[in-house]
Amino acid sequence: MGVEVLSMSTDSRFVHKIWQEQELSKMVEGGIPFPMLSDAGGKIGAVYGVYDEAAGVDIRGRFIIDPDFIIRAMEVLTPEVGRNPDELLRQIKAFQHVRDTGEVTPSGWQPGQVTLKPGPNLVGKVWEVWKP
Amino acid sequence: MTELKDGCVQPARGPILPSEDVGKPIASEEVSKVLARVGGEAPDFEATAFVQGVGFKPIKLSDYKGKWIVLCFYPGDFTFV
């Protein structure tokens, strides 16, 4: 898919290293392959709207950024619920498809399914081409 | 990207605002404003990182311009979820 992943928390790079060595490498073979960034003080999280000042940590925020450096999607959760990687992958595939083709993807779209070509001829006719 | 000569405390630049004078550190009150929004440009930053097989190095988000990027924040290492 050609996507670069970066993770970020308020932990220091030293903690990231030991977390990788002591725990993550036992959960993922070879360890986490992407850079683990440190947001000391939460300044970066604040700019991205995910810094919880009371707790002093960045909450679960996820951003898809396209090759033009434009944020295409964001998802922010409070810490107790984990994310769904399948939905992240679906969104990336959809945004890549839109960028490549100019078509748009209806609700719940998966690769290979019907896309829509916006234009005067489609107005009021979506029901004819898209049958969820 | 050069590897860090590592000391105990080595602050990275953090958020890089469009108006920022090059190299000038930013006071925290200036960055409390949320700048990230869908359809808008990703706010740039520089942070120190641990990279498997490489070690410690500074990373700028804009180093990845031209590629698809997923940026994930999470509350903390050694937590549960």
Side-chain angles (χ1 to χ4, degrees), chain A residues 1-23 30-39 43-50 53 57-74 79-83 88 92 95-96 99, chain B residues 4-17 25-53 55-81:
Chain A
M1 291 173 77
V3 178
E4 302 289 334
V5 177
L6 301 171
S7 70
M8 178 169 280
S9 75
T10 52
D11 299 282
S12 74
R13 60 195 178 282
F14 306 117
V15 180
H16 289 331
K17 177 174 189 283
I18 301 304
W19 190 30
Q20 170 85 297
E21 291 172 1
Q22 294 299 314
E23 188 164 58
I32 298 292
F34 48 78
M36 304 166 75
L37 281 64
S38 173
D39 180 20
K43 285 184 183 173
I44 299 168
V47 169
Y48 277 81
V50 298
E53 215 162 298
V57 298
D58 291 326
I59 55 173
R60 257 175 247 293
R62 175 272 277 163
F63 299 80
I64 299 174
I65 301 167
D66 78 10
D68 292 325
F69 221 51
I70 300 298
I71 298 175
R72 286 294 157 195
M74 58 172 81
E80 58 279 9
V81 170
R83 292 173 255 242
L88 168 62
I92 294 169
F95 279 112
Q96 289 182 337
R99 187 179 168 90
Chain B
L4 284 181
K5 281 197 191 71
D6 226 312
C8 289
V9 178
Q10 187 152 18
R13 285 172 74 191
I16 301 170
L17 304 184
I26 306 168
S28 49
E29 60 270 20
E30 289 178 61
V31 297
S32 55
K33 210 171 116 196
V34 177
L35 299 174
R37 58 186 174 80
V38 288
E41 185 158 306
D44 197 13
F45 58 79
E46 183 192 86
T48 54
F50 169 70
V51 187
Q52 175 73 21
F56 301 129
K57 68 175 188 182
I59 286 185
K60 254 164 69 181
L61 186 66
S62 52
D63 293 340
Y64 295 87
K65 238 178 210 177
K67 298 175 172 177
W68 288 90
I69 308 166
V70 171
L71 173 63
C72 279
F73 293 87
Y74 63 98
D77 296 352
F78 292 107
T79 58
F80 312 101
V81 177

